Amino acid sequence: MSTIADNLRALAARIHDATQAAGREPGSVQLLAVSKTKPAAAIREIHAAGVRDVGENYLQEALAKQAELRDLPLIWHFIGPIQSNKTKAIAEHFDWVHSVDRLKIAQRLSEQRPAGLAPLNICLQVNVSGEDSKSGCAPADLPALAKAVAALPNLRLRGLMAIPEPSEDRTIQEVAFASLRQLQQGLDLGLDTLSMGMSHDLEAAIAQGATWVRIGTALFGARQYGPA
Ligand SMILES: *Cc1c(COP(=O)(O)O)cnc(C)c1O
């Protein structure tokens, strides 16, 4: 039995238990398998084990894996920082983008989304921990950004995403995730998505309403390089 399939079983149990503990509907939390730094073969394995959604942070790396995995009906999510010169390829090759944090990027994605494709699903990344170095829009700027992005023709604004400052303290984790949930509720745009929770804090995220958890390490093992 493969390690990845074993990891997936353990992860599914964590998600199930956290969903139940939160009194939420079974199946209301979706798994995004974050495969940055991992080979296409690992994605093939996770797909064979029943996972359909894959998240990548680096465009060139993602495009190479997509080319190798063309035969699989995967749904690709871009979750990394976005430079303007990468928007065209992202608009052409992904189904979701979780890391939009400024209007200029959203406008380019909308303009560059090919006509034959469904609208690109968008989450706005919000900096809920207030760290200077992190990407994400400031909470104060979110209402105007969300309104403008919701009006773009070839995008479908689905919700919000955050990467809080890492903490092992469950209370601190939940405070950050609760603030993202409250920001979303305050927008009143009928958004259905909260992309929050990673390997170490998915229980806190699910308790606070996550609809996507983005999981790398707990599925594929530790990464050899790249961001933690
Ligand atoms: C790497 C990464 C993840 C996965 O993190 P793990 O701790 O390995 O589960 C999730 N979201 C984003 C944006 C990432 O860059």
Side-chain angles (χ1 to χ4, degrees), residues 35-49:
S35 47
K36 61 176 177 237
T37 81
K38 300 297 178 184
I43 299 174
R44 203 170 275 287
E45 214 174 321
I46 205 81
H47 175 265

Side-chain angles (χ1 to χ4, degrees), residues 34 36 57 79 161 163 198-200 214-217 223 228:
V34 175
K36 61 176 177 237
N57 297 58
I79 63 172
M161 181 274 234
I163 313 173
M198 315 196 333
S199 294
H200 72 286
R214 306 179 311 269
I215 308 297
T217 310
R223 287 178 288 275

